[in-house]
Amino acid sequence: MGNKLSMSTVNCCSVSEWRDSKCWKECNTNNGELRLAPALSNANVGSDVVDSTSEAVVTVRNIDLCLEENSHEHHTNRFDTARTNLVVRRGQTFNLILTLNRPFKRDKDAISFIFTVYDDKKPSPGHGTLVAVAPKEFTTDLGDPVEWSANIESVQGDLLTILIKPAVTSPVTQWKLDVDTKLFNGPSKTFSLQPPIYILYNPWCVDDQVYMSEEDRRFEYILADTTLIWRGSYNRMRPSVWKIGQFEKNVLECSLALIGRIGRVPPAYRGDPVRVSRALSAAVNSPDDDGVVLGNWEEDFTGGTPPAKWVGSTEILQQFYKSWKPVKYGQCWVFAGVLTTIARAIGIPSRIITNYSSAHDTQGSLTVDIFIDHNNRKMDEHTFDSIWNYHVWNEVWMERPDLGYGNHGSYSGWQAVDATPQEMSENMYRCGPAPVKAVKHGEIMRPYDCNFLYSEVNADKLFWRYNGPFQPIKLIRKDTLSIGHLISTKAVKKWDREDVTSSYKFEEKTDDERNTMLKALKQSRHAFSRYYLNDNFNDVEFDMDLKDDIKIGEKFTVVLKVTNKSPDQTHTAVGRLNADTVLYTGISNAEVKSISFEIDLKPKSEEFVRMEVDFNDYYEKLLPQAAFNISCSAQVQNTDYDYFAQDDFRVRKPDIKFQFQGKTISKEPVDVIVRLENPLPIPIKKGVFYIEGPALEKALRFKIAEIPPGGVAACTFKYTPPYAGPATLVAKFQSKELDDVDGFTAFEVEPRPEDILMNGRSFTNEVVIRRDDVIP
């Protein structure tokens, strides 16, 4: 990933000879390009390092970073960091205006710019972490995209305007800038810029590995600072808003530091999005490297923040950046939200993906294996695989030059990356980047972790009868349709769902889907896979039905339809219906209700079994995400037929509503009202609203004493939008009786006349006037 350097240039001089006048001149006149320079660690802003004293040496007095112009052109103007630091994207030019002690003389003066990766202890031109470039004069030739280049734009008295283009393969990190000036065959001086320069990936540059051609998609996957994450279950999908906050204070600094400090990516490889995204998938979780977020899938969140309480990534990353200790606590959507923030901050297009009925294959069999005892009860002690109601991961956009072309074309495009610590990959909790195209075609051996991703979206669900440690297991049922439903992401520039299932798998019940599954199974070396490929199955005779739009506080009914297809024989079915509360990972928590049944089925008839579950049955046992597992186990007497099935179900929580009391105009305060209705038949006590949005450094918190059944809680606050354009406010409500409730409002901020004159560019961080009952 280093820059292309000719050996003659690299060997032109040593570090100790750098300011020898003859060698310095040769380097500066080598076709106008300079590539080798030492690190200047003893230089400070406002001081000059002088090798030989001479009043005639031109001296840099000040550097104007042209922050407003450069950040606007590089789409970095919304970064809090860009108020004081130069934040640019590689492969694209930026301007510097140098104030000199006298006019620059082309026939006598030479100047060169030395860029050094800030945290590289041994910067090297061969690694691309030490770069020196001498500007050409008044030319539009920017050279090879993988080379650094610089041009002199203008000389106006003591002002020298320089155009610099970082190589499109440059490491994405903080850089130090030193400016060397000298007379030909004379002494030299150095000016050091104290604030670091930030160089990011560039999806706008066609030569960058993360280039994305469509403007709307660049906005959605790089610039949008709020998104939707789909949660719930496949039959009760729930969009939850997430404040990405990639532009907020310290987020960019934390994101770049993570790559090296936690991800341990050497400076020379920080320009490779494949290596960086894989490292970040490990750095966001904490089990093996003390990364950003500590996962917790239990009920006790003592000592930290419950995962469902987070509104976005900003507070998490700011807290981690301050302490460098894992933030408590997260679950899959939190890991995905944080990884999206980091990726967008450094310039890698990213989006959040939700897979409903997502398989967690612990054994690499490409199947979900569920073991049932002789009483038709699931055996948790032998069942290691699980099915999550939903699982959330990321996709990042990039070329994959490391993979070349396969049977189905290029592997470039969306790559699946998962920061949730589920299974180890090469001895670390990380996953990806896995080409989505390879996952779809069952190419499970492609790097990285395509086999695990394939199982998540397309594993077959197998039920095994376990009869004891010395008895053979019996395959009693297969389900080829349960895994991988409604794979979802936020639509481009719309607050709607985009279905991306077809990018991960072929349509169910098609030859392409079955053939792909068989191809993948044949690549698996697991015993369950081999057994499965050589077994026959019985048809399903039971069908469960659930009304899927049940509001929390209401009762719901489970209906089991049992059909006898025999034209002349009566059968007796014996079984049990169960409703259990579960974590969204599919792990059972508590039994809510259970009924047994025995029914006689006449030839060509159908019977129904109903189980009603009311609020008092489930409320005390309900977990934060209001999820249930509905299961049915049955046997047909005097036959060898067994049946077992599970389904996901959740009750719907209310939405938080926003209302603006007037127009939303940049830098002008507006009153905002937030409302929530209590759907429970009991009062809600000691509730708290949390509000996040652009320019709010910390979430606003509002106490609500009590909301009676059917009552509405409301809070008001003043909000000052920091800039014109699209914006989003996010709300979360928490209480003992009702938690994990959220809402959002997406709105357009009108520009002031001053904003229009400045092309809508403004940097402000207004103080929000809070209500008296805001928690300090």
Side-chain angles (χ1 to χ4, degrees):
M1 298 299 295
N3 295 311
K4 295 180 179 179
L5 302 173
S6 64
M7 290 305 294
S8 60
T9 302
V10 172
N11 296 324
C12 173
C13 55
S14 66
V15 171
S16 62
E17 298 170 328
W18 174 251
R19 287 189 171 82
D20 174 77
S21 59
K22 180 179 179 182
C23 188
W24 198 97
K25 179 179 179 181
E26 289 175 356
C27 285
N28 271 272
T29 55
N30 184 15
N31 296 321
E33 295 188 42
L34 179 64
R35 296 183 178 86
L36 179 62
L40 303 175
S41 58
N42 60 336
N44 298 304
V45 170
S47 64
D48 297 316
V49 179
V50 184
D51 293 322
S52 301
T53 58
S54 173
E55 296 296 330
V57 178
V58 65
T59 303
V60 177
R61 295 301 186 196
N62 180 59
I63 298 180
D64 180 356
L65 299 176
C66 305
L67 292 179
E68 190 173 1
E69 176 185 353
N70 285 326
S71 63
H72 178 70
E73 294 298 324
H74 285 251
H75 307 278
T76 60
N77 51 326
R78 291 172 60 186
F79 279 106
D80 179 84
T81 309
R83 301 181 185 188
T84 55
N85 293 72
L86 184 60
V87 183
V88 296
R89 301 187 187 275
R90 63 186 192 175
Q92 181 176 341
T93 59
F94 61 88
N95 288 318
L96 300 176
I97 299 177
L98 279 59
T99 301
L100 309 176
N101 66 326
R102 62 168 175 78
F104 185 80
K105 299 177 182 179
R106 302 181 187 88
D107 58 340
K108 294 183 178 180
D109 298 322
I111 190 168
S112 131
F113 297 84
I114 300 94
F115 292 87
T116 312
V117 170
Y118 239 81
D119 63 340
D120 194 351
K121 295 180 180 179
K122 295 181 179 180
S124 163
H127 290 160
T129 58
L130 170 61
V131 179
V133 58
K136 304 173 184 178
E137 292 192 32
F138 311 106
T139 176
T140 58
D141 181 15
L142 297 176
D144 193 306
V146 300
E147 298 284 357
W148 287 69
S149 64
N151 295 340
I152 296 178
E153 287 286 283
S154 67
V155 179
Q156 296 178 333
D158 60 354
L159 297 181
L160 183 65
T161 301
I162 301 293
L163 193 69
I164 294 177
K165 184 210 69 180
V168 77
T169 54
S170 298
V172 170
T173 186
Q174 293 182 351
W175 290 75
K176 177 184 177 184
L177 171 61
D178 297 297
V179 182
D180 271 11
T181 54
K182 73 180 277 59
L183 290 172
F184 293 130
N185 297 314
S188 64
K189 292 187 177 183
T190 297
F191 180 93
S192 292
L193 183 70
Q194 184 176 12
I197 294 174
Y198 295 77
I199 297 181
L200 311 180
Y201 291 101
N202 194 351
W204 284 265
C205 178
V206 68
D207 297 305
D208 199 302
Q209 196 172 333
V210 302
Y211 172 67
M212 180 172 273
S213 60
E214 299 90 343
E215 182 63 31
D216 283 352
R217 284 156 63 88
R218 287 195 295 257
F219 173 85
E220 184 65 48
Y221 303 134
I222 289 292
L223 301 181
D225 66 354
T226 309
T227 192
L228 293 175
I229 302 177
W230 264 262
R231 294 163 60 197
S233 59
Y234 77 93
N235 48 18
R236 173 42 55 189
M237 301 168 67
R238 173 192 173 189
S240 299
V241 70
W242 188 264
K243 184 71 171 64
I244 296 172
Q246 69 269 42
F247 304 115
E248 303 300 329
K249 184 177 180 180
N250 290 333
V251 170
L252 178 59
E253 290 86 343
C254 182
S255 300
L256 291 173
L258 272 169
I259 298 173
R261 182 165 175 172
I262 304 298
R264 300 185 183 92
V265 179
Y269 296 97
R270 294 177 194 167
D272 179 3
V274 176
R275 188 157 180 167
V276 167
S277 61
R278 181 158 175 78
L280 288 175
S281 76
V284 168
N285 63 61
S286 65
D288 41 31
D289 55 12
D290 290 327
V292 180
V293 179
L294 177 64
N296 185 348
W297 285 266
E298 305 298 330
E299 296 181 70
D300 184 6
F301 300 113
T302 303
T305 300
K309 189 176 176 181
W310 294 115
V311 183
S313 306
T314 304
E315 186 177 352
I316 295 172
L317 288 168
Q318 289 172 340
Q319 183 176 329
F320 181 78
Y321 188 61
K322 184 178 180 179
S323 67
W324 288 97
K325 294 181 180 178
V327 177
K328 303 174 182 178
Y329 295 101
Q331 293 178 2
C332 69
W333 72 93
V334 179
F335 291 108
V338 171
L339 184 53
T340 296
T341 299
I342 297 169
R344 292 190 187 182
I346 66 177
I348 300 177
S350 177
R351 63 185 184 181
I352 297 174
I353 299 294
T354 298
N355 177 41
Y356 286 101
S357 299
S358 186
H360 182 178
D361 175 19
T362 62
Q363 303 174 85
S365 63
L366 306 185
T367 57
V368 175
D369 303 293
I370 300 171
F371 291 87
I372 311 299
D373 66 15
H374 64 281
N375 292 318
N376 290 330
R377 302 290 290 186
K378 178 183 172 184
M379 303 179 68
D380 291 331
E381 68 274 20
H382 292 287
T383 301
F384 302 106
D385 295 343
S386 60
I387 302 172
W388 297 28
N389 285 2
Y390 65 92
H391 181 49
V392 184
W393 62 76
N394 295 86
E395 286 180 353
V396 288
W397 179 271
M398 65 188 66
E399 295 178 359
R400 288 297 300 268
D402 56 315
L403 296 182
Y405 285 80
N407 295 332
H408 306 285
S410 170
Y411 294 102
S412 299
W414 288 118
Q415 315 289 315
V417 180
D418 193 347
T420 300
Q422 291 180 290
E423 298 294 323
M424 282 193 167
S425 173
E426 297 178 340
N427 300 315
M428 291 188 73
Y429 283 103
R430 57 186 170 184
C431 183
V436 173
K437 180 179 288 187
V439 173
K440 177 174 182 175
H441 290 279
E443 299 181 19
I444 64 172
M445 306 306 291
R446 295 287 180 183
Y448 295 91
D449 308 308
C450 282
N451 58 335
F452 188 77
L453 266 297
Y454 182 84
S455 294
E456 287 188 299
V457 300
N458 210 31
D460 285 348
K461 186 176 178 181
L462 307 181
F463 297 92
W464 305 86
R465 173 78 70 201
Y466 181 81
N467 295 308
F470 304 108
Q471 300 296 321
I473 59 174
K474 174 189 175 184
L475 184 57
I476 61 175
R477 182 169 176 251
K478 73 169 182 177
D479 185 346
T480 64
L481 306 177
S482 288
I483 305 300
H485 293 299
L486 300 167
I487 304 177
S488 306
T489 191
K490 180 184 175 297
V492 174
K493 301 190 79 172
K494 296 179 183 178
W495 294 95
D496 297 324
R497 186 182 75 90
E498 178 183 346
D499 192 295
V500 295
T501 307
S502 62
S503 66
Y504 278 89
K505 57 192 296 187
F506 292 101
E507 186 178 354
E508 298 287 4
K509 300 181 181 180
T510 63
D511 290 341
D512 284 337
E513 189 277 332
R514 279 293 89 192
N515 291 337
T516 301
M517 183 64 190
L518 291 174
K519 179 177 75 172
L521 284 168
K522 289 175 182 177
Q523 297 175 70
S524 173
R525 298 179 178 89
H526 199 277
F528 288 165
S529 300
R530 294 195 299 271
Y531 186 92
Y532 173 34
L533 287 170
N534 295 284
D535 202 86
N536 295 316
F537 306 92
N538 295 305
D539 293 330
V540 176
E541 300 181 17
F542 298 78
D543 185 28
M544 285 193 300
D545 182 46
L546 286 165
K547 183 180 179 182
D548 59 7
D549 189 17
I550 303 298
K551 186 167 60 175
I552 188 170
E554 298 177 341
K555 70 176 182 180
F556 63 89
T557 303
V558 180
V559 179
L560 175 69
K561 183 174 75 170
V562 188
T563 304
N564 180 8
K565 299 179 181 179
S566 173
D568 52 15
Q569 187 173 359
T570 298
H571 288 291
T572 299
V574 179
R576 179 173 292 274
L577 279 175
N578 277 80
D580 301 319
T581 56
V582 292
L583 299 170
Y584 81 98
T585 57
I587 304 302
S588 296
N589 178 67
E591 183 178 272
V592 173
K593 195 166 187 178
S594 176
I595 64 170
S596 60
F597 62 86
E598 180 175 341
I599 52 178
D600 293 325
L601 299 165
K602 295 181 180 179
K604 288 193 173 181
S605 68
E606 57 186 35
E607 298 288 341
F608 295 88
V609 180
R610 288 177 171 83
M611 180 175 68
E612 289 192 352
V613 182
D614 63 28
F615 176 75
N616 292 325
D617 290 328
Y618 66 75
Y619 176 67
E620 294 294 336
K621 301 174 182 178
L622 201 58
L623 296 171
Q625 299 192 53
F628 298 87
N629 180 266
I630 311 299
S631 63
C632 173
S633 59
Q635 291 179 307
V636 179
Q637 292 184 347
N638 300 317
T639 73
D640 196 30
Y641 184 75
D642 295 285
Y643 174 81
F644 189 88
Q646 296 173 314
D647 203 356
D648 300 325
F649 175 73
R650 67 180 295 272
V651 288
R652 174 169 54 87
K653 294 187 178 181
D655 296 322
I656 298 173
K657 305 293 185 183
F658 286 82
Q659 183 180 355
F660 290 98
Q661 301 295 100
K663 292 185 177 180
T664 53
I665 301 174
S666 173
K667 301 181 185 178
E668 294 187 7
V670 61
D671 288 321
V672 185
I673 303 175
V674 179
R675 292 186 174 90
L676 173 69
E677 180 181 355
N678 177 10
L680 305 180
I682 59 176
I684 295 174
K685 299 179 180 180
K686 297 181 180 180
V688 181
F689 280 106
Y690 299 84
I691 313 292
E692 280 200 7
L696 299 180
E697 291 190 5
K698 292 185 178 180
L700 303 182
R701 297 190 292 171
F702 300 91
K703 289 190 262 187
I704 302 296
E706 183 173 328
I707 315 174
V712 177
C715 66
T716 63
F717 62 95
K718 286 188 181 292
Y719 174 66
T720 304
Y723 48 76
T728 309
L729 285 175
V730 178
K732 177 81 74 173
F733 181 83
Q734 295 286 133
S735 71
K736 181 180 179 180
E737 296 80 12
L738 182 68
D739 62 0
D740 193 20
V741 179
D742 53 24
F744 72 96
T745 180
F747 55 97
E748 192 74 18
V749 180
E750 298 180 13
R752 301 182 305 167
E754 300 94 313
D755 295 329
I756 297 174
L757 292 174
M758 297 296 291
N759 294 320
R761 288 170 284 151
S762 59
F763 300 101
T764 186
N765 200 0
E766 302 288 346
V767 176
V768 175
I769 302 174
R770 305 184 183 184
R771 222 177 53 173
D772 292 339
D773 61 353
V774 175
I775 299 173

